[in-house]
Amino acid sequence: MALCATAVLSAGVLAVGVGSLASAAPAPATPAHAATAARVAATGLDDPHMKDIAMQLVSSAENSSLDWKAQYKYIEDIGDGRGYTAGIIGFCSGTGDMLDLVELYTDRKPDNVLARYLPALRNVNGTDSHSGLGSGFVSAWRTAAADSAFQQAQNDERDRVYFNPSVQQAKADGLRALGQFAYYDAIVMHGPGDDKVSFGGIRRTALSKAKSPAQGGDEKAYINAFLDARKAAMKTEEAHSDTSRVDTEQRVFLNNGNFDLTPPLKWKVYGDSYTINQ
């Protein structure tokens, strides 16, 4: 079951959320920090294979499957107050990111099957309404999902809104692949905003409890602080209250000292077991 991010994910909100993170910039570089930066650069999630692993990990929690590429066609209303949830990272009709996605797709391919629903998507943005959408929209989404142009639009919006900002911030904080994934998974669920239960607020809470590696802190202690803040944010909302993606996934990797997310990876989400062997 996919879960929508809690923040409204318009380009303006993204600019505010990510820009504000710069205010918590790491301390000036030292030789130790330079060594950490070099290590982080060598093990980043932006490596294509590591990015695929990250997508499988997210998909296990969002869709109960490692086959994240099968999720381009996914769409349903999960009853979380955000309308339809759809696609590879849970774009939502009520939070703005689905609208941004369909606008991008339409800019690239004006005659697509979803273009006719743009007025309705604009009208329902910020609500859980299906007005003007309904079964016709669901069918059109699944049809569009077979189009490589729509798949690429989903990939590009995932990267613009979620993947690139979170991984870049994690690298700036001196985090290796596990910490980068913890940031990415958080921004997918909570959005890139600045309030207490969005990604920026969760990171700010973590930094108030522990120094990041870029500030000279211990990597495990900082990730633990971030995961603690993430769990607290999740528990503020019933739709996010199952914290197993932290407890029996990310915390397992952390306790095993697997900061580079080196396979084999074994974890559970919502009680289901998963393995990535390579």
Side-chain angles (χ1 to χ4, degrees), residues 68-136:
W68 66 269
K69 293 181 180 179
Q71 310 312 321
Y72 290 113
K73 66 179 182 295
Y74 165 77
I75 181 167
E76 68 175 323
D77 188 327
I78 63 173
D80 65 350
R82 297 180 180 86
Y84 288 110
T85 296
I88 57 173
I89 46 77
F91 300 98
C92 291
S93 59
T95 63
D97 56 348
M98 182 181 284
L99 172 60
D100 289 345
L101 168 63
V102 177
E103 286 180 336
L104 175 64
Y105 181 35
T106 302
D107 285 345
R108 294 175 176 179
K109 190 172 183 177
D111 60 347
N112 75 78
V113 296
L114 293 174
R116 60 176 292 198
Y117 293 100
L118 277 171
L121 284 171
R122 294 185 182 108
N123 287 336
V124 304
N125 190 20
T127 77
D128 63 356
S129 174
H130 293 183
S131 179
L133 299 173
S135 61

Side-chain angles (χ1 to χ4, degrees), residues 6-219:
T6 58
V8 176
L9 303 179
S10 67
V13 170
L14 177 64
V16 172
V18 174
S20 64
L21 297 184
S23 64
T30 67
H33 295 159
T36 297
R39 182 183 64 198
V40 168
T43 59
L45 285 193
D46 45 9
D47 170 86
H49 180 61
M50 294 304 299
K51 186 174 186 177
D52 184 72
I53 287 176
M55 288 301 298
Q56 292 183 63
L57 291 170
V58 168
S59 186
S60 73
E62 295 284 312
N63 302 101
S64 299
S65 168
L66 297 185
D67 187 3
W68 66 269
K69 293 181 180 179
Q71 310 312 321
Y72 290 113
K73 66 179 182 295
Y74 165 77
I75 181 167
E76 68 175 323
D77 188 327
I78 63 173
D80 65 350
R82 297 180 180 86
Y84 288 110
T85 296
I88 57 173
I89 46 77
F91 300 98
C92 291
S93 59
T95 63
D97 56 348
M98 182 181 284
L99 172 60
D100 289 345
L101 168 63
V102 177
E103 286 180 336
L104 175 64
Y105 181 35
T106 302
D107 285 345
R108 294 175 176 179
K109 190 172 183 177
D111 60 347
N112 75 78
V113 296
L114 293 174
R116 60 176 292 198
Y117 293 100
L118 277 171
L121 284 171
R122 294 185 182 108
N123 287 336
V124 304
N125 190 20
T127 77
D128 63 356
S129 174
H130 293 183
S131 179
L133 299 173
S135 61
F137 177 69
V138 170
S139 178
W141 183 281
R142 291 171 178 159
T143 298
D147 182 0
S148 60
F150 187 49
Q151 294 175 11
Q152 189 59 51
Q154 289 196 40
N155 293 344
D156 291 345
E157 281 298 278
R158 169 202 61 198
D159 290 349
R160 181 184 72 85
V161 180
Y162 302 102
F163 190 83
N164 292 344
S166 60
V167 172
Q168 289 166 7
Q169 185 62 65
K171 286 188 172 187
D173 287 342
L175 299 174
R176 287 176 279 178
L178 175 57
Q180 292 167 30
F181 175 71
Y183 275 24
Y184 174 51
D185 191 63
I187 206 171
V188 164
M189 175 179 282
H190 301 280
D194 232 6
D195 59 278
K196 188 174 182 180
V197 295
S198 294
F199 172 72
I202 293 169
R203 176 177 173 270
R204 187 169 57 248
T205 298
L207 286 168
S208 73
K209 304 295 184 181
K211 290 183 178 180
S212 71
Q215 295 171 323
D218 177 77
E219 188 170 14

